[in-house]
Amino acid sequence: MLKTRIITALILAPIAIGGIFFLPPLGFALFTGAIITIGAWEWANMSGLSSPGLRIAYAAAVAVVMFALLNVPAVVVLWLAMGWWLVCFLMVRGYPAGSERWGSVPVRALMGLLVLVPAWVGLNHLRTGSLQFGEVANNLLVILYVFCVVWVADIGAYFAGRAFGKAKLAPRVSPGKSWAGVWGGLAAVAVFAVVVSELASASLQQTLLLVVASLVTGFVSVLGDLLESMLKRFRGIKDSSQLLPGHGGIMDRIDSLTAAIPVFALMITQLGWLATGQW
């Protein structure tokens, strides 16, 4: 299994790096849109649409929605995402209570739209926007930054959880996660934000605000992971699909990012560091 995971990662890594960091804005939108569409195909199964035709139809519907939102102000969608993740916090915290309200197939399908589409909108807002943070004006770096926040939070949570993880975070959703892991991950994110601010020659105020924004993003990324775990547990499946040998599915790899990206994009826009750009 380890060998399979490594081979898959070695194949996918250059594709992901090339698609995210070396494509022009339109190519970036198409590339990330394709990833989200595959994620939608997987979400269809998690929502209870198990037949191949319905899964393809759902993925196509998500792609159509993304295309329809091309000229809609990104901030509108990002505010919707912020509200959605607040609702998700209540859903995950209460599980299995409340599942009768969201457990139907149509509602779970709608949930997929609220998870996947804002992630795509947020990514493209980061890609096309005009960034100014400290002495950094390269918006590709801010995309890399939000990815790193999620990875740093995950690594910090892993080590803190192994060392101190007795109190479980959400045992009915994801038994392996602990509160110690959350705090350890957030501590690592705070240190990372300070280091990045120093490298960017940011002011003290910018540094403090970036730490706060990064902590919120790190916490929300955990929520993205928990939401997918909750849906898979409700559906009775282990992975979102088997598309990535040794890794499960696309959603298993981007669940945290789907929450982190729109929330971070909204915060740095409201802070005045990112202005809406043009295609």
Side-chain angles (χ1 to χ4, degrees):
M1 179 63 72
L2 178 61
K3 180 180 178 181
T4 302
R5 288 175 65 91
I6 293 173
I7 292 173
T8 302
L10 289 175
I11 294 172
L12 292 178
I15 297 173
I17 292 170
I20 292 172
F21 297 107
F22 295 99
L23 288 176
L26 181 57
F28 178 90
L30 293 173
F31 176 76
T32 53
I35 293 174
I36 293 297
T37 301
I38 295 172
W41 176 79
E42 295 176 341
W43 192 284
N45 184 42
M46 290 193 292
S47 68
L49 300 170
S50 55
S51 73
L54 288 176
R55 294 177 69 180
I56 293 172
Y58 179 78
V62 171
V64 169
V65 171
M66 288 190 291
F67 179 78
L69 291 174
L70 276 175
N71 295 316
V72 174
V75 173
V76 174
V77 179
L78 299 181
W79 272 115
L80 175 64
M82 180 69 81
W84 162 244
W85 287 109
L86 290 173
V87 172
C88 288
F89 173 77
L90 300 176
M91 291 167 56
V92 170
R93 189 179 67 169
Y95 183 79
S99 57
E100 69 281 356
R101 290 192 290 272
W102 55 261
S104 67
V105 171
V107 174
R108 282 183 284 159
L110 177 61
M111 289 164 64
L113 284 173
L114 294 171
V115 169
L116 295 165
V117 173
W120 181 78
V121 171
L123 260 179
N124 285 278
H125 180 52
L126 293 174
R127 177 65 181 86
T128 61
S130 176
L131 174 75
Q132 189 59 60
F133 175 78
E135 296 182 358
V136 174
N138 187 338
N139 53 355
L140 290 176
L141 292 178
V142 80
I143 296 174
L144 178 61
Y145 179 80
V146 70
F147 277 48
C148 287
V149 165
V150 172
W151 297 333
V152 167
D154 192 44
I155 293 169
Y158 174 78
F159 287 105
R162 282 179 63 89
F164 310 108
K166 294 182 179 179
K168 298 302 180 181
L169 174 63
R172 290 167 295 185
V173 175
S174 183
K177 287 184 170 54
S178 66
W179 279 108
V182 173
W183 302 129
L186 293 180
V189 165
V191 172
F192 178 66
V194 171
V195 170
V196 169
S197 296
E198 182 65 25
L199 293 173
S201 300
S203 66
L204 177 60
Q205 181 185 36
Q206 286 182 317
T207 299
L208 293 175
L209 289 173
L210 182 63
V211 169
V212 172
S214 301
L215 288 174
V216 173
T217 302
F219 183 80
V220 171
S221 74
V222 176
L223 189 56
D225 188 336
L226 289 174
L227 178 68
E228 194 208 2
S229 295
M230 182 181 76
L231 285 170
K232 288 191 296 186
R233 185 170 292 274
F234 184 83
R235 181 74 171 87
I237 57 177
K238 181 178 182 294
D239 297 316
S240 59
S241 78
Q242 299 300 321
L243 283 179
L244 309 177
H247 292 266
I250 294 290
M251 284 303 306
D252 297 321
R253 302 276 64 84
I254 67 170
D255 50 4
S256 298
L257 287 167
T258 58
I261 289 167
V263 169
F264 186 74
L266 177 63
M267 286 190 291
I268 66 172
T269 300
Q270 296 303 304
L271 289 170
W273 301 340
L274 184 69
T276 300
Q278 300 294 325
W279 290 92

